[in-house]
Amino acid sequence: MDRLIHTALSGMRASMDSQRVIASNMANANTLGFRAELLDQRAVTIEGQPLEARAMQVARVRGADMVAGEIIETGRDLDIAIATDALMAVQAEDGTEAYTRRGDMSISATGLLVNGEGRPVLGDNGPITIPPVGIPGIAPDGTVTIADPATPDQPPAEVGRIKLAAWQGSPISKGLDGLFRVEGGGILPTDEAATVQVGALEQSNVKTTEVLVEMIDAQRLFAMRSKVIATAREIDESGAQLMRLG
């Protein structure tokens, strides 16, 4: 009987992990550039006789759905949507290089170019700093410029180029802060062919209708596994009662 209970209990734990991932995806359905998390569930058999009859259900986040989200035009000069599969390099809270698709940018009080999460945007030489005087702009290749309104006949001066990184073929993982990093440390190479769409933003790629269906399925599966444990308990109690009567 303990085999049945053990299997059902591990399944309930996996269902709870699944519901956490589903809830996270649902909560970020409107987060710019968000990539939906993907959950992997599998049965893991405990090795050794007679334990191999006990199968444990394991669930863990195995990655993110890298399909691009819908691009919405905003008209803002500092909004960008990455037109290719590249990731934008930003500085994480611990100072390391991380990557995101969120491109709603602004200039901080200290002159740093930051995205909507307040992460400094990285260029070839570190965080990009915008001079206090001038009109900033972004070119399709990610080059950041500043135009002097006092000299409209002069071309804008280049202040840096946003690092657009190629991630295909590299082991990357998504952290709890929503940023992507190279597994084991390191940085991604620059994707020289990457381009951006200025005046637009990429939306989350979470499909709310699909997530709602997944949530209902996960709740039903949790209830079914709970019922298995309750049934096993009833059978165990009935068997004990018969032994007493016998």
Side-chain angles (χ1 to χ4, degrees):
M1 189 62 63
D2 72 315
R3 299 175 183 176
L4 179 63
I5 295 175
H6 179 84
T7 301
L9 180 60
S10 66
M12 289 175 64
R13 291 173 178 168
S15 294
M16 292 177 65
D17 291 336
S18 175
Q19 291 187 52
R20 292 189 188 99
V21 172
I22 293 171
S24 175
N25 288 338
M26 179 62 73
N28 287 281
N30 294 319
T31 300
L32 296 173
F34 183 80
R35 290 290 184 263
E37 296 173 346
L38 300 176
L39 191 74
D40 182 29
Q41 296 191 61
R42 64 185 64 188
V44 178
T45 302
I46 301 176
E47 296 182 357
Q49 293 292 343
L51 299 177
E52 291 185 3
R54 296 162 175 81
M56 180 174 63
Q57 184 79 9
V58 175
R60 64 186 60 177
V61 176
R62 62 176 173 86
D65 183 0
M66 300 303 288
V67 175
E70 183 183 4
I71 294 179
I72 303 295
E73 294 188 2
T74 64
R76 288 188 68 245
D77 293 337
L78 292 182
D79 283 346
I80 64 168
I82 303 175
T84 59
D85 290 333
L87 297 171
M88 184 175 71
V90 294
Q91 188 175 63
E93 194 168 342
D94 60 359
T96 59
E97 182 171 311
Y99 307 94
T100 183
R101 293 277 295 190
R102 183 166 183 169
D104 54 333
M105 295 184 290
S106 60
I107 302 172
S108 70
T110 58
L112 288 175
L113 184 66
V114 299
N115 75 343
E117 294 175 312
R119 309 293 185 187
V121 178
L122 297 179
D124 297 331
N125 300 310
I128 298 176
T129 302
I130 307 297
V133 178
I135 302 174
I138 302 175
D141 66 349
T143 299
V144 181
T145 59
I146 191 79
D148 188 353
T151 56
D153 55 331
Q154 296 295 323
E158 181 178 334
V159 297
R161 182 182 177 186
I162 299 171
K163 179 178 178 180
L164 302 173
W167 58 269
Q168 294 86 345
S170 300
I172 61 173
S173 60
K174 185 179 179 183
L176 295 176
D177 54 4
L179 299 176
F180 291 92
R181 294 174 176 81
V182 178
E183 294 181 2
I187 61 175
L188 295 175
T190 299
D191 186 351
E192 299 294 345
T195 59
V196 301
Q197 181 178 340
V198 182
L201 291 173
E202 181 183 354
Q203 308 301 299
S204 170
N205 70 349
V206 173
K207 297 178 176 62
T208 53
T209 52
E210 294 181 5
V211 174
L212 285 172
V213 173
E214 292 174 357
M215 182 178 295
I216 294 173
D217 288 342
Q219 291 173 344
R220 288 177 176 173
L221 187 57
F222 183 87
M224 290 171 59
R225 287 165 170 166
S226 300
K227 181 64 175 177
V228 169
I229 293 180
T231 302
R233 181 180 178 181
E234 292 174 359
I235 294 174
D236 189 53
E237 290 177 350
S238 297
Q241 186 176 4
L242 289 174
M243 290 181 64
R244 288 194 298 268
L245 294 175

